[in-house]
Amino acid sequence: MVLQRLLGSLLTVALLLSFAPAVSAQAELPPGDEPPKTLADRIADAGTKDDYKGFNTVIVYDHAINRMKKSGVTYVEKTMLYKVLTPAGVLEKQVLRWDYDPQSSWVDVQKVVIHRDGETIDVPVDDVWDLPAPQRAIYWGNRIKLLQLPKLQVNDGIEVHTLRKGYNYALLGQGEGGASGGMNADGSPPDEKFIPPMPGEYFDIVLFRADVPTIEKKYVLHIVKDKRLISQSYNGPVYTRTDYNADSTIYSWWAVDQPAIAHEPRQPDASDFTPKVVMVTAESWEAKSKWFWDVNQNQFEPTQAIKDKVDAILSELPKNASEEEKAKALVHWVAQNIRYSGQTMGEGEGFTLHPGDMIFENRSGVCKDIAGMLITMMRAAGMQSYPAMTMAGSRIEYEVHADQFNHCVTALKTEDGSWRMYDPTWVPFNNDIWSKLETEQEYLIGHPDGADLREIPYSPPEESQLKIRHNAELSEDGTLTGSFRLDGKGALDSRMRR
């Protein structure tokens, strides 16, 4: 009886084991579900030129896995899959390009494969060229990597795998990073080189559309478990999921079947209407404001030469000139005498503004340097001025205090405690101190006590009127003679001058 029971138990175990793979497979793939698509499946299902009229290529799959370290340095594993739709698309994709800034990131092209009629063609990635990037007005040493592909054909799929290391720096410019040291065994620079401007913090803005249609785009973030992420999606639906493991919180966002970004004259910036996710770990606008002040508080000490120049400028004004009149004289001097040209000046190519005396001597710089020059000269005149960041041409999402900045300006605290904003980069050959086309624009002042995000007041139409007066005379022979006089204010005055 015991032997019979033992044999029965062994038979039961054997039967269970024989069915285990089927049970496991069934658990992984419920009835009615299809198995995950392979890259070949995605290319085949992507369609043809008839499905994307007016487009030469389509993004089949855009998948990025971002792994943040405690230092803030992030490793990005990215997979891109394109499909060529037309002969013009063959030319467009014949050379692949990757842009990067050596001060903030490093990129490695790891694998490129061409999918053609069910077969694969491996492209040697040893042939990647690393070249200086074309530059204009700002010469900070950006680079590009290029890879020439074998002769492509219509309906080819192009699979690209890259690894990028660094940080997603603010649009205002590069941060300084840490010490460079030697190279790692894999040929990449050490992580210390790419510590972000705010060490240990993470930020990104992810747009889910491109200049061509996108069938699927997915963004995954592995963030260290003791970090809290603030995020929000805008401008349309985006799928989201949150997972956990022992070391990280894993956030995922994705969108499918996204049309291409339409381009029309005078349209808003793409980030104002394209589905996007904005994310950040910094705790508040006040924290960002204090940090921006801390990294710049020693950059505005006026030298004797600067004080002498300020005295000379103000000496041309009436003795009873107001602070507003003095500030206007200074902003116009800076605008006309510090030309826009960004050369590498050592440390401080990002959030750290170069010292005022350096810019006064070089007489050139980018927006942050021109703003810093005005701050220095205002302080030499006894005014309370501070640096501020803004986003020219687009809005800043208030709910997520991320680095949504691409421009630096000057904030003056007036005698009544209010703030008056100056944009010396925009001012050349203009009467105003701020563009009427950039009203209702948000800005963040770098202040020792911290400041909240603020907004430029609305400018009504009557502040930008254009008056046209026509004086004419019609002679007996039918000849019309006369003159036009155009008087503009605000935005219309600026438009005529430019």
Side-chain angles (χ1 to χ4, degrees), residues 386-426:
Y386 298 86
M389 299 178 287
T390 185
M391 183 70 172
S394 181
R395 71 172 185 259
I396 294 174
E397 311 295 358
Y398 179 81
E399 300 85 357
V400 186
H401 26 80
D403 297 334
Q404 304 166 68
F405 307 108
N406 67 354
H407 190 40
C408 190
V409 294
T410 301
L412 175 63
K413 189 171 186 179
T414 64
E415 295 172 349
D416 64 5
S418 62
W419 293 95
R420 188 183 301 120
M421 301 301 296
Y422 295 81
D423 188 351
T425 304
W426 170 86

Side-chain angles (χ1 to χ4, degrees), residues 1 52 71 205 230 367 379 393 416 429-430 481:
M1 179 65 71
Y52 306 97
S71 63
I205 302 173
I230 300 169
C367 61
R379 292 194 174 196
D416 64 5
F429 305 109
N430 284 284
T481 59

Side-chain angles (χ1 to χ4, degrees), residues 57-58 79-84 89-99 107 109-114 121 123-125 127-131 143-150 152 156-162:
T57 63
V58 62
T79 301
M80 293 292 299
L81 185 61
Y82 307 92
K83 185 171 184 178
V84 178
V90 169
L91 297 178
E92 291 177 9
K93 287 299 178 186
Q94 198 63 60
V95 176
L96 300 180
R97 170 173 172 165
W98 300 268
D99 291 79
V107 62
V109 183
Q110 298 191 315
K111 180 181 178 181
V112 177
V113 178
I114 298 173
I121 303 171
V123 180
V125 294
D127 295 337
V128 172
W129 287 75
D130 191 339
L131 304 169
R143 299 188 67 82
I144 55 174
K145 288 193 173 185
L146 301 175
L147 177 62
Q148 171 79 49
L149 298 182
L152 295 174
D156 277 356
I158 307 170
E159 175 190 351
V160 182
H161 297 265
T162 58

Side-chain angles (χ1 to χ4, degrees), residues 32-240:
D33 279 12
E34 298 180 357
K37 289 184 177 182
T38 65
L39 294 182
D41 294 333
R42 292 177 181 274
I43 295 170
D45 295 343
T48 66
K49 65 178 181 179
D50 296 331
D51 300 300
Y52 306 97
K53 295 189 182 300
F55 294 98
N56 300 316
T57 63
V58 62
I59 297 174
V60 179
Y61 187 59
D62 178 347
H63 190 196
I65 301 177
N66 302 261
R67 304 180 191 276
M68 175 197 173
K69 294 192 171 185
K70 287 187 176 182
S71 63
V73 177
T74 302
Y75 284 68
V76 183
E77 303 165 22
K78 192 171 182 68
T79 301
M80 293 292 299
L81 185 61
Y82 307 92
K83 185 171 184 178
V84 178
L85 303 176
T86 67
V90 169
L91 297 178
E92 291 177 9
K93 287 299 178 186
Q94 198 63 60
V95 176
L96 300 180
R97 170 173 172 165
W98 300 268
D99 291 79
Y100 73 103
D101 172 14
Q103 294 188 80
S104 63
S105 63
W106 167 85
V107 62
D108 182 43
V109 183
Q110 298 191 315
K111 180 181 178 181
V112 177
V113 178
I114 298 173
H115 295 259
R116 179 179 298 162
D117 298 328
E119 299 183 354
T120 58
I121 303 171
D122 291 325
V123 180
V125 294
D126 294 340
D127 295 337
V128 172
W129 287 75
D130 191 339
L131 304 169
Q135 297 178 58
R136 175 179 177 273
I138 301 178
Y139 312 96
W140 285 354
N142 288 17
R143 299 188 67 82
I144 55 174
K145 288 193 173 185
L146 301 175
L147 177 62
Q148 171 79 49
L149 298 182
K151 175 68 174 178
L152 295 174
Q153 297 179 9
V154 173
N155 293 324
D156 277 356
I158 307 170
E159 175 190 351
V160 182
H161 297 265
T162 58
L163 175 64
R164 184 180 293 266
K165 178 167 66 172
Y167 59 87
N168 296 309
Y169 59 90
L171 303 176
L172 185 63
Q174 297 93 324
E176 295 175 50
S180 58
M183 302 296 284
N184 293 329
D186 62 358
S188 68
D191 287 0
E192 290 75 14
K193 178 180 174 60
F194 303 128
I195 295 175
M198 292 185 74
E201 303 294 349
Y202 189 84
F203 140 80
D204 207 353
I205 302 173
V206 186
L207 303 186
F208 285 86
R209 288 182 187 170
D211 287 335
V212 298
T214 302
I215 297 176
E216 181 178 336
K217 176 167 182 171
K218 190 170 187 178
Y219 183 98
V220 180
L221 172 61
H222 293 244
I223 197 166
V224 290
K225 62 181 180 180
D226 59 342
K227 278 290 178 184
R228 295 182 177 181
L229 185 75
I230 300 169
S231 67
Q232 186 164 332
S233 61
Y234 299 87
N235 308 329
V238 175
Y239 298 101
T240 182

Side-chain angles (χ1 to χ4, degrees), residues 321-332 371 374-375 378 383-388 409-424 427 431-436 441 443-445 454-457:
S322 66
E323 182 183 68
E324 184 174 356
E325 291 172 322
K326 294 177 181 178
K328 188 172 183 178
L330 292 177
V331 71
H332 282 284
L374 179 58
I375 296 166
M378 283 182 167
M383 303 178 191
Q384 295 186 60
S385 57
Y386 298 86
V409 294
T410 301
L412 175 63
K413 189 171 186 179
T414 64
E415 295 172 349
D416 64 5
S418 62
W419 293 95
R420 188 183 301 120
M421 301 301 296
Y422 295 81
D423 188 351
V427 163
N431 274 327
D432 280 341
I433 60 173
W434 190 278
S435 172
K436 289 292 191 297
Q441 181 182 102
Y443 61 91
L444 184 67
I445 299 170
R454 298 171 182 267
E455 186 178 277
I456 299 295

